[in-house]
Amino acid sequence: MAHATPDQVDALLLFFCGALVLLAAFGLALFSGGMAGRARATRAFRFVLVGAAVAVVLSVLGGYGAVTGRPLVRHLLGVPDPGLAAVAGTDPASSSPYPAARAGYLIAVLVLVTAVVAVAVASRVTLRAWIVFAVFWLPLVVYPVAYGVFALDDGWAVAGLHVVDFGGALLVVAAGGSAVGLLLAGGRSEHLPPLSPRPTLMAIGGAMLWVGWLGLIVGSEAALDAYASLMAVGGFLASATGVLMWMLVDAVLLRRPTLSSALCGAFAGLVAVTAASGVLTLGWCMLVGALSSLACATMLDLAARARFGPALRLCVIAIVGGLVGLLFPGLFATGSGMVDSGNFDLFIAQGIAGMAVLLYSVTVSLLLGLALRFTIGLTRVRYRARRGIREKHPVGSDRAVPPLPRGQDRPTIE
């Protein structure tokens, strides 16, 4: 019986981690949608499924080459590879399985990034607008950011600024910023208030997200070596300390810790440790998880005044947690952080990359959202004339609106 080669072992790891990343994408839909009701969870799952289909099709049509291929636009974009011809090779039976496994893992990462935006805007936009937005958003926002992270020899982030980003935290920040831009384009007044949460859906989705995101962290190493196991343990410790810190914040602010707060803490810790799990010791992984959870919980209280509903919670965790995770290795990364090297070069590079991606993603997504709003329509709002009253019924209504007694006005929903 032939022994497995190192390439085959590493390919098996990438296939397994890619499956976990897909699990995290659909778990995100159940978790975020479950915070606003069963109907919202169903709609979020539909948006994630459609977004995943768009991401996979575009990747096969040439998007994967634009992320990892030889330079087309130096430092920004690779040459498209239709049909993944460079990965499959002329004789797949005799070629190494590693390139195809890496392609599958990176496509799963693109699906997860698309899912972050999908669950944030599912209750706000129409399905038609979401499909059109995803088709333009992936090449304009995701592919340039992903090229900077995964094109190790030419990417603007890794090769140009020498940014430390193992798992694609810049992509998570871009997804959070894009969701904010699209939410701003839709307008706050057309948002439905959340219904009663579904703890069962939140628990199932949160567990899927927790386990699946660990696959994202481990798969970023792309090899089964000594670092892979440490990255897995570091990610688990960061998520655990994130849970404890978020629940502590809830207790200090005189609120009762809930299931959603615990799962949000785990998510904040996982997002923060994504960037630098390979260059942080286990102690620093615990600290970054706690700091990310503290920052996200604090910012979430401030952002709640915008009254965008549970969708904004996910955006805050993606943006704040991703930025904390990017800045942290600039201080404490082994060998290149300020503590070890004595300079702030890496810290400045990490900050520039994170803020540039955030501003770029918000701007492009806002412009795309406004273009859709004034062409095919971004949100679906029905108007019903009744005795001079214009009643708004936003997208995702879970129940029929009962008629009003004569002479009584319907309260405005902010």
Side-chain angles (χ1 to χ4, degrees):
M1 182 176 180
H3 294 285
T5 63
D7 274 356
Q8 291 174 336
V9 174
D10 295 340
L12 180 61
L13 173 69
L14 285 174
F15 277 128
F16 180 71
C17 291
L20 290 180
V21 172
L22 293 178
L23 182 70
F26 293 105
L28 196 62
L30 295 179
F31 169 56
S32 180
M35 289 190 291
R38 183 174 58 187
R40 302 291 179 83
T42 302
R43 185 173 179 85
F45 199 92
R46 187 188 310 128
F47 270 58
V48 170
L49 186 59
V50 172
V54 173
V56 171
V57 170
L58 290 182
S59 298
V60 175
L61 291 179
Y64 178 74
V67 171
T68 61
R70 55 188 178 85
L72 174 65
V73 179
R74 189 167 177 80
H75 303 309
L76 288 177
L77 207 62
V79 176
D81 181 22
L84 301 180
V87 174
T90 56
D91 187 8
S94 60
S95 59
S96 170
Y98 185 83
R102 185 170 184 266
Y105 168 78
L106 292 182
I107 293 175
V109 173
L110 298 182
V111 169
L112 177 59
V113 172
T114 307
V116 173
V117 184
V119 299
V121 304
S123 64
R124 305 295 306 282
V125 305
T126 63
L127 187 60
R128 176 181 62 179
W130 164 240
I131 295 174
V132 176
F133 175 82
V135 169
F136 287 97
W137 172 72
L138 283 164
L140 290 177
V141 176
V142 175
Y143 291 168
V145 177
Y147 185 82
V149 175
F150 298 122
L152 303 181
D153 296 330
D154 186 63
W156 62 269
V158 176
L161 296 176
H162 303 289
V163 170
V164 175
D165 187 4
F166 282 86
L170 286 173
L171 285 171
V172 179
V173 173
S178 299
V180 170
L182 196 55
L183 289 174
L184 292 176
R188 188 183 66 183
S189 60
E190 297 172 0
H191 179 64
L192 272 177
L195 301 177
S196 58
R198 298 287 179 170
T200 302
L201 292 178
M202 283 194 296
I204 295 174
M208 294 168 60
L209 177 62
W210 198 333
V211 175
W213 205 281
L214 289 175
L216 171 67
I217 294 173
V218 176
S220 63
E221 178 63 13
L224 189 60
D225 53 17
Y227 289 98
S229 57
L230 290 176
M231 292 167 70
V233 176
F236 189 76
L237 290 176
S239 59
T241 54
V243 171
L244 297 177
M245 179 57 70
W246 199 298
M247 297 181 71
L248 178 62
V249 171
D250 275 358
V252 170
L253 295 180
L254 303 179
R255 296 177 302 190
R256 181 169 58 90
T258 61
L259 173 63
S260 63
S261 64
L263 293 175
C264 285
F267 184 38
L270 289 170
V271 171
V273 81
T274 300
S277 56
V279 293
L280 297 178
T281 63
L282 297 182
W284 291 132
C285 288
M286 295 176 64
L287 181 59
V288 72
L291 291 178
S292 173
S293 185
L294 176 62
C296 290
T298 304
M299 291 299 299
L300 194 61
D301 282 340
L302 298 177
R305 301 180 182 180
R307 291 177 291 180
F308 274 98
L312 196 62
R313 177 178 300 186
L314 180 65
C315 300
V316 170
I317 295 176
I319 294 174
V320 177
L323 291 177
V324 171
L326 284 168
L327 293 175
F328 195 85
L331 299 175
F332 303 109
T334 303
S336 56
M338 186 275 296
V339 173
D340 285 353
S341 64
N343 60 69
F344 286 90
D345 292 345
L346 180 60
F347 181 82
I348 295 174
Q350 301 281 111
I352 291 175
M355 293 306 300
V357 167
L358 177 60
L359 294 176
Y360 175 74
S361 60
V362 171
T363 303
V364 174
S365 299
L366 177 60
L367 294 177
L368 283 176
L370 291 176
L372 292 175
R373 184 171 184 173
F374 294 109
T375 53
I376 66 173
L378 184 62
T379 59
R380 186 176 70 234
V381 183
R382 301 188 185 95
Y383 294 96
R384 186 194 320 170
R386 181 180 179 274
R387 296 186 181 276
I389 301 174
R390 302 182 72 193
E391 299 175 358
K392 285 186 175 183
H393 304 281
V395 61
S397 296
D398 298 315
R399 65 188 73 173
V401 180
L404 290 174
R406 178 176 297 180
Q408 181 179 348
D409 294 340
R410 187 177 303 280
T412 302
I413 298 175
E414 292 291 341

